[in-house]
Amino acid sequence: PEPDLTVRSTWHDFIKSHWDVLAACDFFSIELLVRHKLVRCTVFFVIELSTRKVFYAPIKLQPDGPYMKQVARILVDSDDGFLQGKRYLIHDRDPLFKTAGFHGILKSIGVKPVRLPSRSPNLNCYAERYVKSVKSECLDHLILSSVEQLEYVLQEFGEYYHHERIHQSLGRIIERKHATADTAEIVCIERLGGLLKSYHRLAA
């Protein structure tokens, strides 16, 4: 039979049918207390939808066009680029994404940028949910005074998020690093002075 051209797939259908080749990116801001003044710092990250793995770009207080080109080169690096094997990168309508260099570098390895409609954060729900997690579980409880401190905190949260935190939507830890034997001793792993805690069995 002839195809029914009136049928349109939903955004949910698109996400599910391209699950393994999709990534999403976004910015979030954090206030640093520097010399008794609040300085807003912007963090750029990319999340792999199927696994929930997260990549942080080098942090710069005020991202600009050259910074976005540098980030794109890191993402598409032939050795360990985070977007290797991906076909689509979802992002919002932030002017920083409109730079020709950013899109051009992504397209050079076959990654197609997917720009979302305005005022539709629900279409980038996985990235938005990660922002809520990193802020509510970690950053909202700390007063940071430098970019170096922020980088250290994000590194520690990344280890916790990838290797120790259970993800309900996946029903498991992203990448388990600890033993799974039922007879091993259970220990508490603390990060950031006990702010992040998880319980695991000791490796044999």
Side-chain angles (χ1 to χ4, degrees):
E2 294 183 358
D4 185 357
L5 300 180
T6 62
V7 176
R8 296 288 185 269
S9 61
T10 65
W11 181 249
H12 179 76
D13 294 334
F14 173 80
I15 293 289
K16 290 299 182 182
S17 61
H18 297 84
W19 195 246
D20 295 328
V21 293
L22 269 176
C25 61
D26 204 354
F27 294 93
F28 67 85
S29 60
I30 181 73
E31 304 288 344
L32 304 179
L33 182 61
V34 181
R35 297 178 182 177
H36 307 291
K37 294 182 179 180
L38 289 178
V39 177
R40 175 167 294 181
C41 184
T42 303
V43 180
F44 176 74
F45 71 96
V46 183
I47 184 169
E48 189 177 72
L49 268 56
S50 61
T51 65
R52 305 299 196 276
K53 290 182 181 178
V54 173
F55 166 82
Y56 282 110
I59 296 175
K60 184 177 181 180
L61 289 178
Q62 298 295 332
D64 51 16
Y67 169 80
M68 296 303 294
K69 290 183 181 179
Q70 177 191 5
V71 168
R73 293 189 188 99
I74 295 173
L75 291 172
V76 304
D77 184 79
S78 59
D79 294 328
D80 56 357
F82 192 77
L83 292 181
Q84 287 294 327
K86 297 293 179 287
R87 291 178 54 197
Y88 301 97
L89 178 66
I90 299 171
H91 64 75
D92 59 22
R93 304 178 75 86
D94 191 295
L96 286 171
F97 293 125
K98 296 180 181 180
T99 57
F102 182 76
H103 279 186
I105 293 172
L106 294 180
K107 291 176 180 178
S108 68
I109 67 163
V111 176
K112 179 181 179 180
V114 179
R115 190 170 67 166
L116 299 177
S118 59
R119 297 185 295 277
S120 56
N122 58 307
L123 299 184
N124 201 7
C125 56
Y126 297 96
E128 296 288 348
R129 183 62 181 85
Y130 178 76
V131 173
K132 179 180 179 180
S133 295
V134 69
K135 286 192 172 183
S136 63
E137 297 178 26
C138 182
L139 295 176
D140 287 350
H141 304 278
L142 301 171
I143 298 176
L144 306 176
S145 59
S146 67
V147 171
E148 290 75 21
Q149 283 187 347
L150 177 58
E151 289 175 336
Y152 172 75
V153 168
L154 292 178
Q155 179 183 355
E156 287 292 291
F157 183 80
E159 286 293 309
Y160 168 76
Y161 185 83
H162 289 130
H163 307 299
E164 297 160 11
R165 181 183 186 272
I166 296 177
H167 296 259
Q168 275 190 324
S169 57
L170 300 178
R172 59 180 174 84
I173 296 173
I174 293 177
E175 288 183 346
R176 184 181 294 274
K177 277 191 173 181
H178 307 286
T180 57
D182 294 337
T183 57
E185 179 185 354
I186 296 177
V187 296
C188 176
I189 298 176
E190 297 186 2
R191 296 184 181 276
L192 301 176
L195 177 61
L196 304 174
K197 290 184 178 181
S198 58
Y199 296 85
H200 303 273
R201 296 187 182 276
L202 285 173

